[in-house]
Amino acid sequence: MMNCNNLIASRFSTGQKVKRIVKRVASGVACSGLLVAHALAATSGTSSSPTISSCPSAFHQVAITENATQCQAFNEGLPASLVYFTTSSTQDTIRYYQENIPNAKVHTPINSRVLIVSADNTYRVVVSPDNKGAQVDILVMKNPAE
C-alpha cells in the first residue's frame, strides 16, 4: 500500500496526485494534514513555503514575546497567520497573552494546547508545549476596527 510520503515523491502530475490523495482519504486512509496542504498548494500555482524571518514585536497588532524565534508568516493578508517558538513555558506564554489581549478568553486545554481568543474574535492564539518552551500560533481573522 502506498503511504503519504510515497504519494508526494511519486512521479505523477499534480492533478493525478490530488485525485489519488482524495481517493485515498475518501476510502478511509488517513494522511497527515501536511500532505493534503502540499497537494492543494501545488494546484494553486503559488509558492506554499512560509517565509522565515526575524520576529517582529507584533503581528497585526498581536504582541509577540521578546524571546520569539523562527517566525513564519503563512499569510500576511487577512486572515493572517504566524507561527513562532519561545523558550518561555506554556504557562508563562499563556499569561503573556492574557495580559496583552484585553478580555481574552482562555479555553480549556485540548491535547496540551490552549486556545486564547480575543473578546471580539479578532485574534486567536494557540499555545502548545514544545521541547524547550512553547510554540505559538497566531491567527488574525479581521482588523480590530471592523
Side-chain angles (χ1 to χ4, degrees):
M1 175 173 273
M2 184 175 283
N3 67 27
C4 293
N5 291 332
N6 291 340
L7 272 173
I8 289 177
S10 63
R11 295 182 186 248
F12 297 109
S13 72
T14 301
Q16 289 172 320
K17 283 183 193 178
V18 171
K19 287 177 189 174
R20 285 179 180 258
I21 290 168
V22 169
K23 183 177 177 183
R24 298 250 184 219
V25 171
S27 67
V29 176
C31 288
S32 75
L34 288 175
L35 176 62
V36 175
H38 170 77
L40 294 175
T43 62
S44 71
T46 60
S47 173
S48 63
S49 299
T51 303
I52 299 173
S53 61
S54 59
C55 298
S57 60
F59 180 72
H60 289 273
Q61 300 179 11
V62 178
I64 295 177
T65 62
E66 288 183 20
N67 59 359
T69 61
Q70 298 179 10
C71 286
Q72 299 176 350
F74 288 90
N75 191 10
E76 295 287 337
L78 297 177
S81 61
L82 178 121
V83 176
Y84 73 88
F85 295 92
T86 177
T87 55
S88 299
S89 70
T90 54
Q91 288 306 314
D92 287 345
T93 305
I94 291 165
R95 271 192 293 279
Y96 176 83
Y97 280 102
Q98 285 178 300
E99 293 169 4
N100 285 285
I101 300 176
N103 303 313
K105 179 176 181 182
V106 179
H107 293 265
T108 304
I110 298 175
N111 294 332
S112 301
R113 290 168 177 78
V114 175
L115 173 64
I116 304 166
V117 181
S118 64
D120 62 357
N121 201 27
T122 300
Y123 310 117
R124 297 177 188 170
V125 177
V126 177
V127 180
S128 310
D130 188 54
N131 240 354
K132 297 178 182 175
Q135 174 180 321
V136 179
D137 298 79
I138 299 172
L139 178 63
V140 181
M141 302 302 293
K142 60 184 179 177
N143 287 322
E146 291 179 4

